[in-house]
Amino acid sequence: MALTLEAADRPRPQDRARALARSYAHGVLVGRTGLSPVMVGRAAELDRLVGLVGARRAPVVALVAGEAGIGKTRLVQELVRRVPAGTLVLAGQADPGTVGRPMELFLDAIAPAVVAPADAPGRQAGATDGDAPGDDGGPAGLIDVVRDADRPADERVRAGVELVWRLARGRTVVAVFEDLHWADSESVAVFERLAEPPPSGDDGPSGLVLVGTYRPDGLSRRHPAAEALPRIERRHSVTHVHLDRLSPAEVSSFLAAVYEEEPSFRVVDALHTRTGGNPFFLEELVASSSDRAPSDVDAPLPWTVSELVRSELDDLDPDVQELVSAAAVLGRRFTFDLLAAVTGAEERDLIARLRVAVDRGLLVEGDPDVFGFHHELAREAVESGLLGRERRRLHEAALDALRAAGSRDHVALADHARGAGRFDDMVSEARLGARESLALGSSYQALQLAETGLAEVPDDDELLSIAARAAWLAGLLDDALAHAERWLALSRAADDVDHEAAALAMRTRVAYERGDLDAMAGHTEALISVIDRLPTDEARARAMAAVAQSYMLREQAEATYEWADKALALAEADGLDRVRLAALVEKGSMLLMDPARTDEARELLEAAADEAERVGEHLLAARTLNNLVWHARQWSDVDQVRTLIERMRVQAQAAGFDTFAVTDVAGSLAHLAAVEGDLDAAIAHLDEAQRVRDGHAGWIRSDWTAVFRAGLALEAGDLDDAERFTEKAKPATARTAVAVIGLDLNLACRRGDLTRARALLADLILACDAEGYTSASQTHDLLSAALAAGLAPDEMRPLVDRVGHYVGHRLDPDHPWRRLLGAQLAEAEGAVDDAIAGYEAAAETLGAAPEILAGHRGTAHVGAAANLVRAGRLDEARVHVTEAARHLARWRGWRVDQLRAVERRLGIGDEAAGPESLTPREREVAALLAEGLTNSQLAERLYISPRTAAVHVSNLLAKLGMGSRTEVAAWAIRTGLADG
């Protein structure tokens, strides 16, 4: 059957179910376009193939390899859609029986291009008189030779190659030979000869791309393609494209494309597990579902997949079939010894049977003596074909064998207990396994086991508590919320105050992770209300420590100290070391936010981190180390900080705190890279973390990662990226409102939208007042953008005045940040001497706080240099420029642009910048200078002070490398800027 070249209308999944059952050939569906309107996970491979078309005149060979159903046909179809208009496409597909039918694959490929059926010879459209039927020199005569089974094989092959050259004269050609592992030897020979250039002097194609697809496991040693492909590789440059299975993230993208809605993590995880990421199996399962994305992840297999897999067993010996059936019940992975115990086979006999199953591609040996099915769906198909009593007997045998061997694989034990109908044993194994998995940091496995037990005993308090905690640690906050809510409701109904308090503590933490601070406050009050009813000091102390954590996370200092001290008193009186440690961490973390007590706090937390690591309190250790990282004594001591980050990563992984180990560690590494001045490395850390998060469809998005990434994009001057990541951080929560509004404000300023900027500035001040904190680094960035855009210093001063914890902890006037911000305002107001003093003081002292990046220090030196130039102190300015260049060597964006402008003023920079480097306000000033306006007139026209106008003029001169206003005016007229 010829490859379908035309795009089909997008079908509904239920309408495709029957259509997808046609034309199977051991797992490949002929001509299918797929359910998804876009091809998922193959963009790079497609780009490689498209890049070959028209790349050169000589034939180009591409070999596309992959297992059955991996998407080779879909990739080729997408290639055909992307080729330029006028390209001749010859595409054929072999079938399992083709190997015994000479030239069949070639004829399948050539048929659409040559209209010459055996019973009614005709001409191809556009054929010349020399191409008449029966003329062996023309295409019609050549096709007759190819079809003539009485001709020698070599003669038919030569005719086929010549036919292609005739059809291809002066044209770009894409020739596709699909499924070479089933191809007849003559068609393989044509494929191999087409890889050679046309005969000398022949007017061949303007370009030929020869594409062959095949299954590596389908090439036997005696198959003609098994010998031809290596020869082609030896003689020609071959582009190899190997298609792998889809990742979980790509399965998620596939489902989103089909159903136009984001699938849940559970659906993605289950479908990826069942299909192994094989696109064909995935489409079969989806096609058998309804209009909506599948939610029953254990739905029966569609008959097409089942029959396809079972057909592979038909010609196996009964003893091998028996082995495969037993293997299907044992699960995804099983050992040789377990299989031997269940089947009762002798070792030599079992090895012989396994060899057959492995050679047939049914089973694979992943590790020595450990086997599994090539696809999970294959295992399911085999198991579903067993009688109920067969399955129960095999599960029973597997359970007994595992227990006799002392196995601690509780997942397998619970599964076999369920399959054997021994549900009490299933719950027991699930409970024990969930406890152990949680203790070992295997959060997702703990969740799976807990939910396995809950399927039988849905009101079990312990299993609900494990499920809630495990889901939270694994980053599945929706699941954590659902389990915690049920746990809380059942505890209250049973008047079980111990479990009620524990459930409230979990609900409080989940609310924090979701950014729901109102819910967090409500659950905290509810927890406080039950403390006096708790039966033991230990339970009361734990609840008090949880209350202290809630207040600490919301930065309410007095309440944190109060509840931490209460927990400490009980813990020390009763010798509750772990509770004491938790209370110390909450208190110490709050103390870190008090500038007057940071040394005390750091000493306390360093001791707590050491103790938590020593006693195996991994989660507490990770949190403590994280707080120490963000309040490190000197971020310039990068080795010390990097050591803390590595310790934090190890402890988070040991605790099974998956999102923390990915997002928080990446954020810390990104911040460290930014402190060191490596902007691209910082971006890379965050992008890698996002890639990992994208592979976990159930993870709640990381607002802070998006905020941080948007900020780095602004640093680099990538405004589109900055906007994209800002949108990812929305809708803003109570935790992120200030940051998100600040990003929007920065973008508005960078784009010159002053009306929107002023509105957002008012919103930002209100949000800062509500939060009780204004970030110095964010204010510095906003001040830079706003002043460059044309906002007046007085408009920004209210924000600057709020910097710090302004409810009791505003920054001291001599603080480096205050010096830097004050210098920025002074510069904008034209107070050059004040600006120089502020910038120089900031440059000397910046670096003592964790928010200080190399870029900040570089900007302080640039600001000092720029104002020293204005004061005529050029030698001093050069010293600051040298320091700024050192800090900004691995940076880019607006800070570097400012440095280059000052360098040009000093005669040490590159050539002057063009109009694109100017801010919107600077372009306005340049246009007005072209009108001959003085600084006073500029100030009047732009509603700014004369000193601010002078600063804008000075900035223009620096950026453009010019020495006078007249030069700027002439330049503005010459470049057309004055006309705008």
Side-chain angles (χ1 to χ4, degrees):
M1 180 182 291
L3 182 69
T4 301
L5 302 182
E6 307 237 348
D9 291 335
R10 180 184 170 195
R12 294 182 304 161
Q14 69 270 28
D15 294 336
R16 288 277 291 162
R18 184 167 297 176
L20 287 176
R22 75 185 190 281
S23 303
Y24 280 100
H26 286 259
V28 175
L29 180 59
V30 177
R32 69 188 294 172
T33 57
L35 289 175
S36 174
V38 296
M39 185 174 61
V40 174
R42 308 294 188 224
E45 291 85 351
L46 178 59
D47 287 344
R48 289 179 64 197
L49 292 180
V50 171
L52 299 176
V53 180
R56 56 178 178 168
R57 182 181 178 88
V60 177
V61 181
L63 295 177
V64 181
E67 63 186 85
I70 204 66
K72 300 184 292 296
T73 296
R74 179 67 185 269
L75 178 65
V76 170
Q77 288 173 332
E78 296 296 331
L79 167 65
V80 168
R81 292 190 181 96
R82 290 268 298 271
V83 300
T87 301
L88 174 63
V89 177
L90 308 174
Q93 189 169 28
D95 293 321
T98 305
V99 70
R101 298 192 290 271
M103 296 298 286
E104 181 156 315
L105 172 56
F106 174 74
L107 287 168
D108 191 33
I110 208 72
V114 180
V115 183
D119 56 345
R123 281 194 255 182
Q124 180 192 14
T128 65
D129 291 341
D131 296 331
D135 178 1
D136 286 352
L142 291 170
I143 197 70
D144 287 340
V145 175
V146 171
R147 283 175 169 159
D148 188 349
D150 294 330
R151 300 249 188 173
D154 190 57
E155 184 178 339
R156 299 175 71 191
V157 168
R158 285 199 306 272
V161 173
E162 185 177 351
L163 175 60
V164 172
W165 294 139
R166 291 294 184 91
L167 293 172
R169 282 176 179 168
R171 305 174 69 177
T172 298
V173 181
V174 174
V176 180
F177 284 47
E178 274 252 67
D179 295 329
L180 287 171
H181 53 280
W182 287 322
D184 60 278
S185 60
E186 289 81 4
S187 294
V188 171
V190 172
F191 183 86
E192 184 175 1
R193 293 191 190 182
L194 286 175
E196 302 288 343
S200 178
D202 194 359
D203 182 15
S206 61
L208 169 64
V209 178
L210 192 61
V211 181
T213 74
Y214 70 100
R215 286 168 44 186
D217 61 355
L219 284 177
S220 66
R221 290 190 297 271
R222 292 178 292 178
H223 192 281
E227 298 178 357
L229 296 185
R231 282 198 303 270
I232 294 173
E233 291 182 40
R234 287 194 298 269
R235 297 174 183 173
H236 309 283
S237 177
V238 175
T239 296
H240 289 277
V241 176
H242 180 80
L243 298 185
D244 294 317
R245 301 179 188 182
L246 300 180
S247 68
E250 290 163 345
V251 170
S252 179
S253 297
F254 170 87
L255 295 173
V258 171
Y259 293 102
E260 298 180 348
E261 64 180 74
E262 290 298 321
S264 71
F265 169 77
R266 297 305 184 89
V267 168
V268 172
D269 183 65
L271 288 180
H272 183 264
T273 298
R274 293 183 74 188
T275 64
N278 182 285
F280 165 68
F281 286 158
L282 179 63
E283 288 206 348
E284 286 299 280
L285 285 183
V286 171
S288 66
S289 68
S290 60
D291 280 325
R292 296 185 59 79
S295 57
D296 183 3
V297 295
D298 294 320
L301 298 177
W303 72 267
T304 50
V305 176
S306 298
E307 290 304 310
L308 173 66
V309 173
R310 290 174 191 163
S311 68
E312 298 287 339
L313 304 177
D314 289 344
D315 59 345
L316 292 177
D317 290 339
D319 54 352
V320 179
Q321 291 187 25
E322 180 184 358
L323 173 142
V324 173
S325 297
V329 171
L330 294 181
R332 293 177 61 191
R333 284 168 58 87
F334 52 87
T335 65
F336 181 94
D337 290 340
L338 178 60
L339 185 62
V342 171
T343 60
E346 295 292 335
E347 179 172 320
R348 177 174 297 181
D349 183 39
L350 187 58
I351 290 173
R353 296 189 207 176
L354 278 170
R355 170 54 60 195
V356 174
V358 169
D359 288 345
R360 289 292 297 267
L362 290 166
L363 300 179
V364 293
E365 185 176 19
D367 296 308
D369 287 343
V370 178
F371 297 85
F373 278 79
H374 200 54
H375 292 287
E376 173 65 8
L377 283 189
R379 187 198 66 76
E380 291 183 34
V382 174
E383 185 182 22
S384 66
L386 298 175
L387 298 175
R389 186 171 294 275
E390 283 182 288
R391 284 197 299 274
R392 289 195 300 275
R393 180 183 63 79
L394 288 167
H395 278 298
E396 185 91 34
L399 179 62
D400 291 343
L402 287 171
R403 285 186 165 173
S407 173
R408 300 183 65 83
D409 185 349
H410 298 290
V411 173
L413 288 164
D415 180 67
H416 291 308
R418 176 170 50 192
R422 290 161 54 172
F423 296 108
D424 288 344
D425 287 339
M426 180 195 77
V427 173
S428 177
E429 293 293 348
R431 189 190 312 279
L432 181 58
R435 289 179 195 147
E436 290 186 1
S437 296
L438 197 59
L440 293 171
S442 299
S443 302
Y444 188 60
Q445 181 168 294
L447 176 61
Q448 288 181 306
L449 282 162
E451 290 181 336
T452 296
L454 287 169
E456 183 66 19
V457 285
D459 295 344
D460 188 283
D461 283 329
E462 182 186 11
L463 288 174
L464 282 169
S465 70
I466 292 174
R469 183 174 178 82
W472 165 60
L473 289 170
L476 305 177
L477 298 187
D478 289 341
D479 293 312
L481 178 63
H483 290 305
E485 286 282 15
R486 180 164 179 78
W487 181 25
L488 180 59
L490 290 172
S491 300
R492 284 173 168 167
D495 196 26
D496 186 341
V497 70
D498 269 331
H499 276 288
E500 182 181 356
L504 282 167
M506 177 54 62
R507 279 294 286 110
T508 301
R509 184 69 201 213
V510 171
Y512 173 75
E513 305 293 355
R514 296 171 68 90
D516 190 348
L517 300 191
D518 289 338
M520 189 180 180
H523 292 307
T524 302
E525 290 302 316
L527 178 57
I528 292 172
S529 72
V530 304
I531 287 178
D532 289 340
R533 295 194 290 125
L534 290 169
T536 66
D537 282 352
E538 180 174 1
R540 284 190 287 275
R542 287 189 182 280
M544 291 171 180
V547 171
Q549 181 185 106
S550 174
Y551 283 119
M552 183 276 296
L553 291 171
R554 288 178 287 149
E555 299 185 12
Q556 298 181 29
E558 295 306 318
T560 301
Y561 299 146
E562 176 189 353
W563 286 99
D565 286 340
K566 287 180 178 180
L568 281 169
L570 274 181
E572 289 172 351
D574 290 7
L576 305 171
D577 290 339
R578 293 177 185 254
V579 181
R580 174 188 57 80
L581 190 59
L584 282 173
V585 168
E586 310 311 336
K587 183 174 183 178
S589 298
M590 192 72 248
L591 286 171
L592 271 179
M593 301 180 198
D594 184 347
R597 304 184 71 178
T598 53
D599 288 341
E600 173 192 354
R602 192 176 295 110
E603 183 177 344
L604 187 158
L605 290 181
E606 286 172 351
D610 291 341
E611 184 178 351
E613 286 176 309
R614 186 171 62 254
V615 301
E617 284 284 349
H618 302 299
L619 179 58
L620 198 60
R623 289 184 52 233
T624 308
L625 290 163
N626 182 53
N627 290 337
L628 283 170
V629 164
W630 287 104
H631 293 82
R633 182 177 285 105
Q634 289 290 336
W635 271 80
S636 57
D637 186 353
V638 295
D639 290 336
Q640 177 202 32
V641 177
R642 190 168 282 113
T643 297
L644 288 174
I645 295 172
E646 177 58 18
R647 287 171 64 191
M648 178 176 78
R649 182 191 64 78
V650 169
Q651 293 302 312
Q653 288 182 338
F657 202 175
D658 298 341
T659 53
F660 192 98
V662 172
T663 303
D664 290 70
V665 170
S668 297
L669 290 171
H671 191 81
L672 182 58
V675 167
E676 294 182 279
D678 193 339
L679 179 58
D680 288 331
I683 289 173
H685 283 301
L686 295 183
D687 287 350
E688 174 61 18
Q690 189 59 51
R691 185 192 65 77
V692 175
R693 292 188 69 88
D694 288 344
H696 293 266
W699 283 7
I700 297 294
R701 72 184 191 280
S702 175
D703 297 329
W704 278 116
T705 298
V707 166
F708 193 179
R709 183 64 178 82
L712 293 180
L714 282 168
E715 285 288 333
D718 297 332
L719 299 189
D720 290 341
D721 259 5
E723 183 175 25
R724 180 164 61 89
F725 285 105
T726 299
E727 291 304 312
K728 278 190 173 186
K730 296 177 182 178
T733 67
R735 294 172 59 199
T736 62
V738 169
V740 172
I741 295 171
L743 289 168
D744 278 336
L745 172 55
N746 203 322
L747 278 165
C749 291
R750 298 287 176 194
R751 287 173 169 159
D753 188 347
L754 297 190
T755 300
R756 176 168 166 75
R758 289 188 172 99
L760 287 167
L761 177 60
D763 292 343
L764 178 62
I765 290 174
L766 290 174
C768 287
D769 287 344
E771 184 170 296
Y773 173 73
T774 300
S775 164
S777 61
Q778 181 190 48
T779 302
H780 160 67
D781 294 345
L782 290 172
L783 197 54
S784 301
L787 295 176
L791 289 182
D794 286 344
E795 293 181 89
M796 297 302 298
R797 197 175 297 280
L799 184 65
V800 174
D801 289 342
R802 283 168 164 77
V803 166
H805 287 272
Y806 50 86
V807 182
H809 291 298
R810 292 195 183 189
L811 294 185
D812 186 274
D814 291 330
H815 191 282
W817 274 122
R818 294 293 304 200
R819 294 294 189 94
L820 181 59
L821 297 171
Q824 290 178 269
L825 291 172
E827 180 180 22
E829 292 168 340
V832 174
D833 290 340
D834 290 343
I836 292 171
Y839 278 128
E840 288 192 325
E844 290 176 6
T845 56
L846 282 172
E851 288 182 292
I852 304 296
L853 310 182
H856 299 143
R857 301 166 92 174
T859 293
H861 285 290
V862 170
N867 285 277
L868 285 166
V869 169
R870 294 180 186 115
R873 296 155 61 180
L874 302 187
D875 289 340
E876 294 172 76
R878 290 188 181 93
V879 173
H880 281 288
V881 163
T882 300
E883 277 299 296
R886 182 172 66 85
H887 289 297
L888 297 173
R890 292 180 291 170
W891 212 258
R892 54 190 170 92
W894 63 271
R895 297 183 194 276
V896 176
D897 292 341
Q898 289 181 341
L899 171 62
R900 298 292 174 252
V902 178
E903 287 177 335
R904 284 192 291 273
R905 292 296 305 276
L906 292 169
I908 58 176
D910 298 327
E911 63 182 29
E916 69 282 351
S917 70
L918 303 183
T919 66
R921 177 49 61 96
E922 287 167 349
R923 286 195 288 272
E924 276 187 283
V925 171
L928 292 174
L929 287 178
E931 297 180 23
L933 272 61
T934 65
N935 282 357
S936 296
Q937 291 169 325
L938 280 174
E940 183 178 349
R941 183 78 67 88
L942 297 175
Y943 302 100
I944 59 178
S945 71
R947 287 197 298 178
T948 301
V951 170
H952 285 309
V953 172
S954 181
N955 287 339
L956 269 175
L957 293 172
K959 280 193 175 182
L960 299 175
M962 297 178 183
S964 70
R965 302 158 60 89
T966 304
E967 283 186 78
V968 175
W971 173 85
I973 295 171
R974 187 171 63 254
T975 60
L977 194 64
D979 299 333

